[in-house]
Amino acid sequence: MKKGIIITIAILLAFIVGVASYFFVCGGEPEIENFDAISDDYEIIATASIKYYNEVSVKDERITFLTYDDHMEVLDLKNPSNDGVVINLNEEEKSAIKTIYKEFDYMWVTKDYVIFWQDETKYYGLVYSKNPLSTIWNMKSDWYESVEYHRINSNWYEIGAFGR
């Protein structure tokens, strides 16, 4: 009898801890709506961005891209000669950028990840990476300690200051 009560209490506590960690560590449900319907467009732009990054051989630095309704441009304050370089997009990528432009002004791109930022405040973004949690933990330790995140799927996380 006592053993059954102890097991029941242990299971109940584990459940409460699990739910609490989901909402307080991961922040709960993502705020972006209908991501499944538009995820292909984001994946197309993320892939194109990483491809461009690898072509320009900036192996250890982040590149910032500004997004427009039909193209992307490099924003490079460290090297003004690169500033304003237009990224060539194929027709599929041009179509996809229209979706991204409605929600996100610019992107940070490295060989390992792409972060779509809503604006310069960096209070809301989407991370695309083969290992997004590693990217988020690096952000937390390097400069954005209070960043919160929501898992969308294995490669996509929503990040920001959600205040939960």
Side-chain angles (χ1 to χ4, degrees), residues 117-128:
W117 288 112
Q118 193 169 52
D119 58 34
E120 69 280 354
T121 64
K122 298 177 201 75
Y123 277 180
Y124 182 75
L126 290 178
V127 174
Y128 170 79

Side-chain angles (χ1 to χ4, degrees), residues 60-125:
D60 293 324
E61 292 189 24
R62 180 181 68 233
I63 297 177
T64 300
F65 293 158
L66 299 174
T67 60
Y68 296 91
D69 65 344
D70 62 350
H71 70 283
M72 298 185 302
E73 287 183 14
V74 174
L75 174 64
D76 191 347
L77 301 176
K78 291 181 183 177
N79 188 356
S81 64
N82 290 337
D83 195 25
V85 171
V86 175
I87 311 303
N88 292 324
L89 301 175
N90 63 35
E91 291 306 313
E92 180 183 45
E93 294 162 348
K94 285 180 183 177
S95 176
I97 197 71
K98 291 180 186 317
T99 301
I100 283 60
Y101 178 67
K102 293 175 186 174
E103 299 296 326
F104 297 95
D105 294 341
Y106 68 99
M107 303 177 300
W108 284 353
V109 181
T110 72
K111 63 183 167 99
D112 298 320
Y113 66 82
V114 175
I115 301 176
F116 296 86
W117 288 112
Q118 193 169 52
D119 58 34
E120 69 280 354
T121 64
K122 298 177 201 75
Y123 277 180
Y124 182 75

Side-chain angles (χ1 to χ4, degrees), residues 10 25 29 35-36 38-39 54 57 59 70-71 76 83 102 110 118 123-124 135 141 152 154:
V25 174
E29 290 296 316
F35 187 74
D36 288 341
I38 56 175
S39 64
N54 290 326
S57 299
K59 300 300 179 205
D70 62 350
H71 70 283
D76 191 347
D83 195 25
K102 293 175 186 174
T110 72
Q118 193 169 52
Y123 277 180
Y124 182 75
T135 300
S141 66
I152 297 173
S154 61

